[in-house]
Amino acid sequence: MSFFSGKVVIVTGSSNGIGRGTAVIFAKEGAKLTITGRNAQSLEETKQLCLKAGAKQSDILELIGEITDASFNERLISATVEKFGRLDVLVNNAGGASMTNFGKGIFDIPVDEFDQMMELNVKQVLRLSQLSVPHLEKTNGAIVNVSSIAAFHQQSKMPYYSAAKSALDQITVQMAASLIKKGIRVNSVNPGPVATNVVVAAGGTKDDQDKMFAGMGSSMPLGRVGLPDDIGKIILFLADRSQSEILIGHIVTADGGVTLKSAMFPDA
């Protein structure tokens, strides 16, 4: 029997990309799922993939809402516990960037965008995690945050996004140190390039997105860009106490070797 059989998992931002791939993997492992996003049609597609993976209709809760809305954060946790009676894993996957000022210097970008990036990538994670603690404490549960290798870059074409992800990494560490005392493990995965609709979601065009991914794989040490399943498997591992109990406050770089490269050794 799978470790996740009968356990309850929330995956935010699960209407596409990494969130969708992660939800399907948990469904295969027998978990009960709350999936959430802003697009009802896309979320329904995720649900159907979870059902195909082996989940029952009664084991899936769909919630449409804006992840930066504090009242929706409250509903997400309360509705999950009301339906399933418990919570074992919170996957804070939802987040995003903005293409509006892509490539501009940090002082050429309105500070309002910084506020937007912090709301989308950090503050909602804090709210959801805080709301989940009383329930995760009862189950010796886990929180897995999804950050980005953008947090590591010394120079970025999206400086406020990188700053927000750096903040999220530090939040992961601080949460981990605090919550392990309650039996809750917190870790993070920081993906590199992953083939999703991330550019379109950030306000770019499909053409922009295709250009970004075209040829990117050949320049990566691994020889290909990541796939949602690649990241989903790491999230599953980090949430599985039977496999990764000793990992606490760990930030897993999942980038196909991108961060091995540097200006000094560009052909690494």
Side-chain angles (χ1 to χ4, degrees), residues 199-264:
V199 175
V200 173
T205 66
K206 180 68 162 58
D207 188 50
D208 292 334
Q209 185 167 279
D210 292 342
K211 286 178 181 177
M212 186 183 80
F213 286 120
M216 184 180 285
S218 62
S219 68
M220 293 172 60
L222 181 63
R224 67 170 177 85
V225 298
L227 300 173
D229 278 7
D230 293 322
I231 309 305
K233 290 172 185 175
I234 296 171
I235 292 170
L236 185 83
F237 170 72
L238 292 174
D240 186 342
R241 183 177 284 271
S242 72
Q243 298 294 316
S244 61
E245 183 173 41
I246 201 168
L247 296 182
I248 299 163
H250 198 67
I251 294 173
V252 178
T253 302
D255 68 349
V258 169
T259 50
L260 293 175
K261 291 177 168 287
S262 69
M264 185 176 292

Side-chain angles (χ1 to χ4, degrees), residues 7-21:
K7 289 185 168 57
V8 177
V9 180
I10 295 173
V11 182
T12 67
S14 39
S15 55
N16 53 63
I18 291 171
R20 172 179 287 176

Side-chain angles (χ1 to χ4, degrees), residues 38-113:
R38 292 176 297 180
N39 186 298
Q41 181 178 344
S42 295
L43 197 62
E44 178 62 25
E45 291 171 5
T46 298
K47 179 181 178 181
Q48 293 305 315
L49 289 170
C50 289
L51 293 173
K52 188 176 179 180
K56 301 174 184 176
Q57 285 274 358
S58 58
D59 289 344
I60 300 177
L61 173 63
E62 297 171 87
L63 290 175
I64 303 294
E66 174 53 61
I67 200 67
T68 58
D69 182 345
S71 63
F72 178 68
N73 294 162
E74 293 175 4
R75 186 161 71 92
L76 189 57
I77 301 299
S78 63
T80 297
V81 175
E82 182 178 341
K83 178 174 175 60
F84 298 120
R86 59 186 289 160
L87 176 62
D88 297 271
V89 179
L90 171 64
V91 179
N92 286 310
N93 167 72
S98 172
M99 297 294 290
T100 304
N101 294 293
F102 183 83
K104 292 182 180 179
I106 190 167
F107 293 121
D108 296 320
I109 304 173
V111 174
D112 285 352
E113 185 172 300

